[in-house]
Amino acid sequence: MGRFEKSIAVVTGSGSGIGEQTAVKLADEGAKVILVGRTKSKLERVAAQINEGLEEPAATVYQADVTQEDQVNQLAGFVEEEYGDLHVLVNNAGISGKSSILDMEAEEWDRIQDTNLKSVFLVSKTLGRLMKEGETQKDRAIVNVASLSGHKAGAKIPHYSSSKAAVINFTKALALEFSVSGIRVNSVSPGFAETPLTEEGLKNKRFEEAIQKNTALGRVGRPGEVANVICFAASQEASYMTGSDLLVDGGWLIK
Ligand code: NAI
C-alpha cells in the first residue's frame, strides 16, 4: 500500500523540475494527482509518463496561471466537481530572476512576488476551503516550496529572497489557522537543485564549482531528492509536524 492510496493531490508547477518529480512520486504511491501549470504541453508530457500502462489514469492536467485569482477559483471548482475532495496540496510553482535593487523595475518585483507568494495565498485560500470541507476521513496536508534563499539573502535576488522568506512565515500563519481543521501545513526549502530554473546558472562552470564548494555534501541536488522530502511532509509519517520548514540544501547553511 502506498502512502497516498485514495488521496487526491494538487501540485502546482508540475510540468517540470521539483513539481514534476513530486507529482510522479505521489502518483507512484497511490494518489490521484492534478497537475497544474500554465503550459499544457509540459503538463501533458508528465501526465503521459505517470499514466503509462495504468488501467485508470492517475494524473489529470489542469491549465492555470496560479497568479490569477479567477483561474485559481476555476481550478477549485474543477477539483470539487471532478473529485469532490482534496487531501494534499503542494504549492510549488515559482520563478526566479536576477537584478540589483537599484536597477529593478517595480513590475519585475511584482512578477516575482505574485508568482512566489501571492499564488500560495490564492491557492491555499481556495483549495484550503475545499480541504476543510472535505468529508473523507484522511490525513490532509499542504506543503509550500520555499527556498534556502528564504533563510539566507542572495546577491541580486532581493525580490526572490524576500518572497521565499515570506512563504516560510506565511506557512506558519496558515498552519496555525488550519490546525483546528486538522490540516498540517509545512514548507520545504531546497538549496540548489538541477532543474530548468537553475539550468542557465549551472551552465556557468564557476557557479557550479561555487555550489560544490559551499555545500557540505559537495554537489548540486537532484529534484527527486527535494520531492522525497515534500512527499514526507505531505504524508502521515509527518503527522505531528506543522508550521515547520524543512531545509533540503545539502548542508549549504551550515557551511
Ligand atoms: P521549474 O522552473 O522547473 O519549476 C517551476 C514550475 O512552475 C514551472 O513548470 C513553471 O512553468 C511553473 N510556473 C511558474 N509560474 C507559474 C504560474 N504563474 N502559474 C502556474 N505555474 C507556474 O523550477 P524548479 O526548480 O522545479 O522550481 C520549483 C520550486 O522550487 C520553485 O518554487 C522554486 O522557487 C523552488 N526552488 C528551486 C530551487 C532549485 O535550485 N531548483 C532552489 C530553491 C527553491
Side-chain angles (χ1 to χ4, degrees):
M1 254 317 239
R3 287 179 297 178
F4 300 103
E5 220 65 51
K6 295 200 165 60
S7 289
I8 316 292
V10 163
V11 184
T12 70
S14 39
S16 58
I18 293 166
E20 169 180 352
Q21 292 298 312
T22 303
V24 168
K25 279 178 198 298
L26 288 168
D28 267 359
E29 295 199 45
K32 292 264 181 285
V33 187
I34 299 124
L35 309 174
V36 179
R38 292 168 304 181
T39 317
K40 210 168 183 188
S41 56
K42 282 179 21 182
L43 300 170
E44 280 171 347
R45 180 187 60 78
V46 179
Q49 184 194 335
I50 291 174
N51 292 335
E52 197 185 350
L54 297 180
E55 258 173 44
E56 202 189 318
T60 306
V61 163
Y62 190 90
Q63 189 178 17
D65 180 335
V66 289
T67 64
Q68 303 302 309
E69 190 169 11
D70 55 337
Q71 295 185 33
V72 172
N73 288 338
Q74 282 162 17
L75 162 68
F78 169 80
V79 177
E80 186 167 17
E81 219 164 89
E82 295 295 319
Y83 298 89
D85 208 339
L86 183 66
H87 308 102
V88 174
L89 167 61
V90 182
N91 282 309
N92 163 78
I95 51 171
S96 187
K98 222 169 173 67
S99 174
S100 76
I101 293 169
L102 295 184
D103 293 336
M104 194 185 303
E105 302 290 343
E107 288 80 24
E108 175 63 355
W109 173 268
D110 288 345
R111 195 174 71 90
I112 299 278
Q113 302 298 336
D114 285 358
T115 309
N116 294 357
L117 177 61
K118 185 180 171 193
S119 74
V120 178
F121 154 66
L122 290 176
V123 177
S124 301
K125 178 184 167 183
T126 47
L127 290 181
R129 191 169 285 141
L130 180 60
M131 292 172 92
K132 280 178 80 162
E133 290 165 358
E135 284 170 2
T136 17
Q137 292 296 312
K138 272 194 88 53
D139 189 48
R140 289 167 201 274
I142 297 176
V143 184
N144 298 325
V145 181
S147 172
L148 166 65
S149 305
H151 294 264
K152 187 177 187 299
K156 302 236 172 116
I157 50 167
H159 43 1
Y160 184 78
S161 304
S162 55
S163 71
K164 292 299 189 178
V167 167
I168 293 168
N169 216 21
F170 177 77
T171 299
K172 296 180 194 306
L174 192 64
L176 272 178
E177 192 166 325
F178 279 15
S179 59
V180 286
S181 312
I183 302 169
R184 296 180 301 99
V185 189
N186 294 288
S187 55
V188 169
S189 286
F192 289 93
E194 213 172 338
T195 70
L197 191 85
T198 51
E199 203 174 18
E200 266 315 298
L202 289 172
K203 277 184 190 155
N204 178 346
K205 272 284 148 227
R206 281 176 55 197
F207 179 62
E208 192 178 353
E209 279 161 23
I211 293 174
Q212 287 162 355
K213 189 168 152 261
N214 287 306
T215 308
L217 294 180
R219 66 173 173 84
V220 175
R222 292 181 287 272
E225 294 178 303
V226 180
N228 283 339
V229 180
I230 294 173
C231 289
F232 162 71
S235 80
Q236 253 282 302
E237 285 176 79
S239 57
Y240 197 53
M241 194 179 80
T242 197
S244 284
D245 180 74
L246 293 164
L247 261 172
V248 191
D249 69 342
W252 179 288
L253 214 57
I254 54 167
K255 225 179 154 189

Short mmCIF file of all heavy atoms in Angstrom, two decimals, residues 12-20 36-39 42-43 64-68 91-96 114-116 119 145-149 160 164 188-198 220 223 226, ligand 1:
data_model
loop_
_atom_site.label_atom_id
_atom_site.label_comp_id
_atom_site.label_asym_id
_atom_site.label_seq_id
_atom_site.Cartn_x
_atom_site.Cartn_y
_atom_site.Cartn_z
N THR A 12 1.14 22.35 -7.98
CA THR A 12 1.27 23.46 -8.93
C THR A 12 2.69 23.48 -9.51
O THR A 12 3.65 23.07 -8.85
CB THR A 12 0.96 24.83 -8.27
OG1 THR A 12 2.01 25.15 -7.34
CG2 THR A 12 -0.38 24.81 -7.55
N GLY A 13 2.79 23.94 -10.73
CA GLY A 13 4.09 23.99 -11.41
C GLY A 13 4.67 22.60 -11.60
O GLY A 13 5.87 22.40 -11.42
N SER A 14 3.81 21.66 -12.00
CA SER A 14 4.28 20.26 -12.08
C SER A 14 4.65 19.82 -13.49
O SER A 14 4.78 18.64 -13.77
CB SER A 14 3.24 19.32 -11.48
OG SER A 14 1.94 19.72 -11.82
N GLY A 15 4.87 20.81 -14.38
CA GLY A 15 5.30 20.46 -15.73
C GLY A 15 6.79 20.26 -15.85
O GLY A 15 7.30 19.87 -16.91
N SER A 16 7.53 20.50 -14.78
CA SER A 16 8.99 20.33 -14.83
C SER A 16 9.56 20.27 -13.42
O SER A 16 8.85 20.50 -12.43
CB SER A 16 9.64 21.51 -15.58
OG SER A 16 9.30 22.73 -14.94
N GLY A 17 10.85 19.93 -13.35
CA GLY A 17 11.63 20.06 -12.12
C GLY A 17 11.08 19.36 -10.88
O GLY A 17 10.63 18.21 -10.91
N ILE A 18 11.09 20.10 -9.78
CA ILE A 18 10.71 19.55 -8.47
C ILE A 18 9.22 19.18 -8.46
O ILE A 18 8.84 18.13 -7.92
CB ILE A 18 11.03 20.60 -7.37
CG1 ILE A 18 12.55 20.77 -7.25
CG2 ILE A 18 10.42 20.19 -6.03
CD1 ILE A 18 12.99 22.00 -6.45
N GLY A 19 8.39 20.00 -9.07
CA GLY A 19 6.95 19.72 -9.13
C GLY A 19 6.66 18.45 -9.91
O GLY A 19 5.82 17.63 -9.50
N GLU A 20 7.37 18.27 -11.01
CA GLU A 20 7.20 17.05 -11.82
C GLU A 20 7.55 15.81 -10.99
O GLU A 20 6.79 14.85 -10.91
CB GLU A 20 8.11 17.12 -13.06
CG GLU A 20 8.19 15.80 -13.81
CD GLU A 20 9.07 15.84 -15.05
OE1 GLU A 20 9.52 16.94 -15.45
OE2 GLU A 20 9.32 14.77 -15.64
N VAL A 36 -1.01 21.04 -12.25
CA VAL A 36 -1.43 22.41 -12.55
C VAL A 36 -0.24 23.22 -13.04
O VAL A 36 0.84 23.19 -12.44
CB VAL A 36 -2.04 23.09 -11.29
CG1 VAL A 36 -2.44 24.52 -11.60
CG2 VAL A 36 -3.24 22.29 -10.79
N GLY A 37 -0.44 23.97 -14.13
CA GLY A 37 0.60 24.83 -14.64
C GLY A 37 0.07 25.64 -15.82
O GLY A 37 -1.08 25.50 -16.21
N ARG A 38 0.96 26.50 -16.34
CA ARG A 38 0.50 27.37 -17.43
C ARG A 38 0.63 26.71 -18.80
O ARG A 38 -0.10 27.02 -19.71
CB ARG A 38 1.33 28.66 -17.45
CG ARG A 38 1.12 29.56 -16.28
CD ARG A 38 2.16 30.64 -16.24
NE ARG A 38 3.51 30.06 -16.24
CZ ARG A 38 4.64 30.74 -16.18
NH1 ARG A 38 4.60 32.05 -16.18
NH2 ARG A 38 5.81 30.14 -16.15
N THR A 39 1.61 25.80 -18.94
CA THR A 39 1.90 25.26 -20.27
C THR A 39 1.38 23.83 -20.39
O THR A 39 1.94 22.89 -19.80
CB THR A 39 3.44 25.31 -20.53
OG1 THR A 39 3.93 26.56 -20.07
CG2 THR A 39 3.77 25.13 -21.99
N LYS A 42 3.69 20.81 -21.44
CA LYS A 42 4.62 20.31 -20.40
C LYS A 42 3.87 19.39 -19.42
O LYS A 42 4.36 18.34 -19.00
CB LYS A 42 5.24 21.49 -19.63
CG LYS A 42 6.35 22.17 -20.40
CD LYS A 42 7.02 23.37 -19.74
CE LYS A 42 6.94 23.55 -18.28
NZ LYS A 42 7.59 24.77 -17.78
N LEU A 43 2.66 19.82 -19.05
CA LEU A 43 1.87 19.02 -18.10
C LEU A 43 1.47 17.70 -18.74
O LEU A 43 1.48 16.64 -18.08
CB LEU A 43 0.62 19.79 -17.68
CG LEU A 43 0.85 21.15 -16.99
CD1 LEU A 43 -0.46 21.90 -16.86
CD2 LEU A 43 1.49 20.96 -15.61
N ALA A 64 -3.59 26.36 -15.66
CA ALA A 64 -3.95 27.59 -14.94
C ALA A 64 -2.71 28.37 -14.57
O ALA A 64 -1.65 27.80 -14.29
CB ALA A 64 -4.73 27.25 -13.66
N ASP A 65 -2.88 29.68 -14.56
CA ASP A 65 -1.83 30.57 -14.07
C ASP A 65 -2.18 30.86 -12.61
O ASP A 65 -3.22 31.49 -12.33
CB ASP A 65 -1.84 31.86 -14.90
CG ASP A 65 -0.79 32.86 -14.45
OD1 ASP A 65 -0.38 32.81 -13.27
OD2 ASP A 65 -0.39 33.70 -15.28
N VAL A 66 -1.36 30.41 -11.68
CA VAL A 66 -1.72 30.50 -10.27
C VAL A 66 -1.62 31.91 -9.68
O VAL A 66 -1.94 32.13 -8.53
CB VAL A 66 -0.91 29.50 -9.39
CG1 VAL A 66 -1.35 28.08 -9.66
CG2 VAL A 66 0.59 29.67 -9.57
N THR A 67 -1.20 32.87 -10.51
CA THR A 67 -1.20 34.26 -10.03
C THR A 67 -2.56 34.91 -10.28
O THR A 67 -2.82 36.01 -9.80
CB THR A 67 -0.12 35.13 -10.73
OG1 THR A 67 -0.44 35.22 -12.12
CG2 THR A 67 1.26 34.56 -10.55
N GLN A 68 -3.41 34.24 -11.06
CA GLN A 68 -4.71 34.81 -11.46
C GLN A 68 -5.84 34.25 -10.61
O GLN A 68 -6.16 33.06 -10.70
CB GLN A 68 -4.97 34.54 -12.94
CG GLN A 68 -3.89 35.08 -13.87
CD GLN A 68 -3.68 36.58 -13.72
OE1 GLN A 68 -4.64 37.35 -13.77
NE2 GLN A 68 -2.43 36.99 -13.52
N ASN A 91 2.13 23.63 -3.10
CA ASN A 91 2.33 24.92 -3.76
C ASN A 91 3.78 25.02 -4.17
O ASN A 91 4.64 25.46 -3.40
CB ASN A 91 1.98 26.05 -2.79
CG ASN A 91 0.49 26.26 -2.65
OD1 ASN A 91 -0.22 26.39 -3.65
ND2 ASN A 91 0.00 26.27 -1.42
N ASN A 92 4.05 24.61 -5.41
CA ASN A 92 5.44 24.51 -5.86
C ASN A 92 5.80 25.54 -6.93
O ASN A 92 6.98 25.90 -7.06
CB ASN A 92 5.66 23.08 -6.40
CG ASN A 92 6.89 22.97 -7.26
OD1 ASN A 92 8.01 22.91 -6.76
ND2 ASN A 92 6.70 22.99 -8.59
N ALA A 93 4.81 26.05 -7.67
CA ALA A 93 5.12 26.96 -8.79
C ALA A 93 5.95 28.13 -8.29
O ALA A 93 5.67 28.71 -7.24
CB ALA A 93 3.82 27.46 -9.43
N GLY A 94 6.97 28.48 -9.04
CA GLY A 94 7.81 29.60 -8.64
C GLY A 94 8.74 29.99 -9.77
O GLY A 94 9.01 29.21 -10.68
N ILE A 95 9.19 31.25 -9.71
CA ILE A 95 10.13 31.73 -10.71
C ILE A 95 11.24 32.50 -10.01
O ILE A 95 11.10 32.90 -8.85
CB ILE A 95 9.46 32.67 -11.75
CG1 ILE A 95 8.67 33.79 -11.05
CG2 ILE A 95 8.57 31.88 -12.70
CD1 ILE A 95 8.17 34.87 -11.97
N SER A 96 12.33 32.70 -10.74
CA SER A 96 13.43 33.46 -10.17
C SER A 96 13.79 34.60 -11.13
O SER A 96 13.19 34.74 -12.20
CB SER A 96 14.62 32.53 -9.96
OG SER A 96 15.62 33.22 -9.26
N ASP A 114 4.15 38.03 -6.99
CA ASP A 114 2.86 37.44 -7.37
C ASP A 114 2.99 35.93 -7.59
O ASP A 114 2.14 35.16 -7.16
CB ASP A 114 2.31 38.09 -8.66
CG ASP A 114 1.76 39.48 -8.41
OD1 ASP A 114 1.77 39.91 -7.24
OD2 ASP A 114 1.34 40.13 -9.38
N THR A 115 4.05 35.54 -8.26
CA THR A 115 4.20 34.12 -8.59
C THR A 115 4.61 33.30 -7.37
O THR A 115 4.09 32.22 -7.13
CB THR A 115 5.26 33.92 -9.71
OG1 THR A 115 4.94 34.78 -10.79
CG2 THR A 115 5.30 32.48 -10.18
N ASN A 116 5.55 33.83 -6.60
CA ASN A 116 6.11 33.03 -5.50
C ASN A 116 5.31 33.13 -4.20
O ASN A 116 5.33 32.20 -3.40
CB ASN A 116 7.56 33.45 -5.22
CG ASN A 116 8.47 33.11 -6.39
OD1 ASN A 116 8.05 32.52 -7.37
ND2 ASN A 116 9.73 33.50 -6.29
N SER A 119 0.47 33.70 -5.13
CA SER A 119 -0.14 32.45 -5.62
C SER A 119 -0.33 31.45 -4.48
O SER A 119 -1.33 30.73 -4.44
CB SER A 119 0.73 31.82 -6.71
OG SER A 119 1.89 31.24 -6.14
N VAL A 145 6.59 25.20 -1.28
CA VAL A 145 8.01 25.13 -1.62
C VAL A 145 8.61 26.53 -1.47
O VAL A 145 8.26 27.46 -2.21
CB VAL A 145 8.23 24.56 -3.04
CG1 VAL A 145 9.73 24.49 -3.34
CG2 VAL A 145 7.61 23.16 -3.14
N ALA A 146 9.47 26.68 -0.48
CA ALA A 146 10.15 27.96 -0.23
C ALA A 146 11.55 27.87 -0.84
O ALA A 146 11.70 27.40 -1.98
CB ALA A 146 10.20 28.22 1.27
N SER A 147 12.58 28.23 -0.10
CA SER A 147 13.94 28.17 -0.64
C SER A 147 14.97 28.45 0.45
O SER A 147 14.68 29.15 1.42
CB SER A 147 14.11 29.24 -1.73
OG SER A 147 15.45 29.35 -2.15
N LEU A 148 16.16 27.94 0.21
CA LEU A 148 17.33 28.31 1.02
C LEU A 148 17.44 29.85 1.04
O LEU A 148 17.78 30.45 2.07
CB LEU A 148 18.58 27.70 0.37
CG LEU A 148 19.95 28.21 0.81
CD1 LEU A 148 20.21 27.85 2.26
CD2 LEU A 148 21.04 27.62 -0.08
N SER A 149 17.10 30.48 -0.09
CA SER A 149 17.17 31.95 -0.18
C SER A 149 16.19 32.65 0.75
O SER A 149 16.32 33.85 0.99
CB SER A 149 16.89 32.41 -1.62
OG SER A 149 17.75 31.77 -2.50
N TYR A 160 13.39 37.66 -5.02
CA TYR A 160 13.23 36.21 -4.82
C TYR A 160 13.39 35.85 -3.34
O TYR A 160 12.56 35.17 -2.75
CB TYR A 160 14.24 35.47 -5.69
CG TYR A 160 14.11 33.96 -5.64
CD1 TYR A 160 13.10 33.31 -6.35
CD2 TYR A 160 14.98 33.18 -4.87
CE1 TYR A 160 12.96 31.93 -6.31
CE2 TYR A 160 14.85 31.81 -4.82
CZ TYR A 160 13.85 31.18 -5.54
OH TYR A 160 13.72 29.81 -5.49
N LYS A 164 10.49 34.30 -0.78
CA LYS A 164 10.60 32.97 -0.18
C LYS A 164 10.62 33.03 1.35
O LYS A 164 10.09 32.14 2.03
CB LYS A 164 11.85 32.26 -0.72
CG LYS A 164 11.74 31.89 -2.21
CD LYS A 164 10.58 30.94 -2.48
CE LYS A 164 10.58 30.41 -3.90
NZ LYS A 164 9.50 29.45 -4.16
N VAL A 188 9.05 23.41 2.51
CA VAL A 188 10.31 22.74 2.20
C VAL A 188 11.19 23.75 1.48
O VAL A 188 10.74 24.41 0.54
CB VAL A 188 10.06 21.49 1.31
CG1 VAL A 188 11.38 20.94 0.76
CG2 VAL A 188 9.33 20.40 2.11
N SER A 189 12.42 23.91 1.95
CA SER A 189 13.33 24.89 1.36
C SER A 189 14.50 24.20 0.66
O SER A 189 15.46 23.77 1.31
CB SER A 189 13.89 25.82 2.46
OG SER A 189 12.90 26.72 2.87
N PRO A 190 14.43 24.08 -0.66
CA PRO A 190 15.54 23.47 -1.38
C PRO A 190 16.74 24.41 -1.45
O PRO A 190 16.58 25.63 -1.47
CB PRO A 190 14.99 23.24 -2.80
CG PRO A 190 13.54 23.58 -2.75
CD PRO A 190 13.32 24.46 -1.56
N GLY A 191 17.93 23.81 -1.50
CA GLY A 191 19.14 24.57 -1.84
C GLY A 191 19.20 24.58 -3.36
O GLY A 191 18.20 24.83 -4.01
N PHE A 192 20.35 24.25 -3.93
CA PHE A 192 20.45 24.24 -5.40
C PHE A 192 20.15 22.87 -5.96
O PHE A 192 20.85 21.90 -5.66
CB PHE A 192 21.84 24.70 -5.86
CG PHE A 192 22.05 26.16 -5.62
CD1 PHE A 192 22.63 26.61 -4.45
CD2 PHE A 192 21.63 27.10 -6.57
CE1 PHE A 192 22.80 27.97 -4.21
CE2 PHE A 192 21.79 28.46 -6.34
CZ PHE A 192 22.37 28.89 -5.17
N ALA A 193 19.09 22.78 -6.75
CA ALA A 193 18.77 21.52 -7.41
C ALA A 193 18.78 21.75 -8.93
O ALA A 193 18.45 22.85 -9.40
CB ALA A 193 17.40 21.03 -6.96
N GLU A 194 19.15 20.71 -9.64
CA GLU A 194 19.29 20.83 -11.09
C GLU A 194 17.91 20.75 -11.76
O GLU A 194 17.34 19.66 -11.89
CB GLU A 194 20.16 19.66 -11.58
CG GLU A 194 21.00 20.01 -12.74
CD GLU A 194 21.98 18.92 -13.08
OE1 GLU A 194 22.29 18.09 -12.19
OE2 GLU A 194 22.42 18.89 -14.22
N THR A 195 17.38 21.89 -12.14
CA THR A 195 16.05 21.94 -12.78
C THR A 195 16.10 23.05 -13.84
O THR A 195 17.07 23.81 -13.90
CB THR A 195 14.95 22.32 -11.76
OG1 THR A 195 15.14 23.70 -11.40
CG2 THR A 195 14.97 21.47 -10.52
N PRO A 196 15.04 23.19 -14.65
CA PRO A 196 15.03 24.29 -15.63
C PRO A 196 15.27 25.66 -15.00
O PRO A 196 15.83 26.56 -15.62
CB PRO A 196 13.62 24.20 -16.23
CG PRO A 196 13.27 22.75 -16.13
CD PRO A 196 13.89 22.29 -14.83
N LEU A 197 14.89 25.82 -13.71
CA LEU A 197 15.08 27.10 -13.02
C LEU A 197 16.55 27.47 -12.86
O LEU A 197 16.93 28.64 -12.91
CB LEU A 197 14.42 27.04 -11.63
CG LEU A 197 14.29 28.33 -10.85
CD1 LEU A 197 13.02 29.07 -11.28
CD2 LEU A 197 14.19 28.04 -9.35
N THR A 198 17.39 26.46 -12.67
CA THR A 198 18.81 26.71 -12.40
C THR A 198 19.69 26.35 -13.61
O THR A 198 20.91 26.49 -13.55
CB THR A 198 19.28 25.87 -11.19
OG1 THR A 198 18.90 24.51 -11.40
CG2 THR A 198 18.69 26.37 -9.89
N VAL A 220 25.51 19.56 -6.36
CA VAL A 220 24.19 20.13 -6.62
C VAL A 220 23.16 19.03 -6.34
O VAL A 220 23.44 17.84 -6.51
CB VAL A 220 24.11 20.57 -8.11
CG1 VAL A 220 22.72 21.05 -8.48
CG2 VAL A 220 25.15 21.65 -8.39
N PRO A 223 16.25 17.08 -8.34
CA PRO A 223 14.86 17.43 -8.00
C PRO A 223 14.13 16.33 -7.23
O PRO A 223 13.32 16.60 -6.35
CB PRO A 223 14.21 17.70 -9.36
CG PRO A 223 15.16 17.22 -10.39
CD PRO A 223 16.52 17.21 -9.78
N VAL A 226 14.48 16.56 -3.49
CA VAL A 226 13.59 17.53 -2.85
C VAL A 226 12.17 16.95 -2.79
O VAL A 226 11.48 17.04 -1.76
CB VAL A 226 13.59 18.88 -3.62
CG1 VAL A 226 12.67 19.87 -2.94
CG2 VAL A 226 15.01 19.43 -3.74
P1 NAI B 1 10.97 24.81 -12.64
O1 NAI B 1 11.10 26.06 -13.42
O2 NAI B 1 11.28 23.51 -13.30
O3 NAI B 1 9.52 24.68 -11.99
C1 NAI B 1 8.66 25.73 -11.70
C2 NAI B 1 7.34 25.46 -12.42
O4 NAI B 1 6.40 26.46 -12.04
C3 NAI B 1 7.49 25.54 -13.94
O5 NAI B 1 6.95 24.36 -14.53
C4 NAI B 1 6.69 26.77 -14.31
O6 NAI B 1 6.09 26.69 -15.58
C5 NAI B 1 5.66 26.81 -13.18
N1 NAI B 1 5.09 28.15 -13.01
C6 NAI B 1 5.76 29.33 -12.94
N2 NAI B 1 4.90 30.34 -12.84
C7 NAI B 1 3.65 29.80 -12.83
C8 NAI B 1 2.35 30.35 -12.75
N3 NAI B 1 2.15 31.66 -12.67
N4 NAI B 1 1.29 29.51 -12.76
C9 NAI B 1 1.48 28.17 -12.85
N5 NAI B 1 2.69 27.59 -12.94
C10 NAI B 1 3.77 28.40 -12.93
O7 NAI B 1 11.91 25.02 -11.37
P2 NAI B 1 12.07 24.18 -10.01
O8 NAI B 1 13.46 24.34 -9.62
O9 NAI B 1 11.48 22.85 -10.13
O10 NAI B 1 11.19 25.08 -9.04
C11 NAI B 1 10.15 24.58 -8.21
C12 NAI B 1 10.10 25.39 -6.93
O11 NAI B 1 11.29 25.17 -6.19
C13 NAI B 1 10.00 26.90 -7.16
O12 NAI B 1 9.09 27.45 -6.23
C14 NAI B 1 11.41 27.37 -6.87
O13 NAI B 1 11.47 28.71 -6.44
C15 NAI B 1 11.83 26.39 -5.77
N6 NAI B 1 13.27 26.29 -5.59
C16 NAI B 1 14.06 25.71 -6.53
C17 NAI B 1 15.42 25.62 -6.33
C18 NAI B 1 16.34 24.97 -7.31
O14 NAI B 1 17.56 25.01 -7.10
N7 NAI B 1 15.86 24.36 -8.37
C19 NAI B 1 16.05 26.17 -5.12
C20 NAI B 1 15.12 26.72 -4.19
C21 NAI B 1 13.78 26.79 -4.43
#
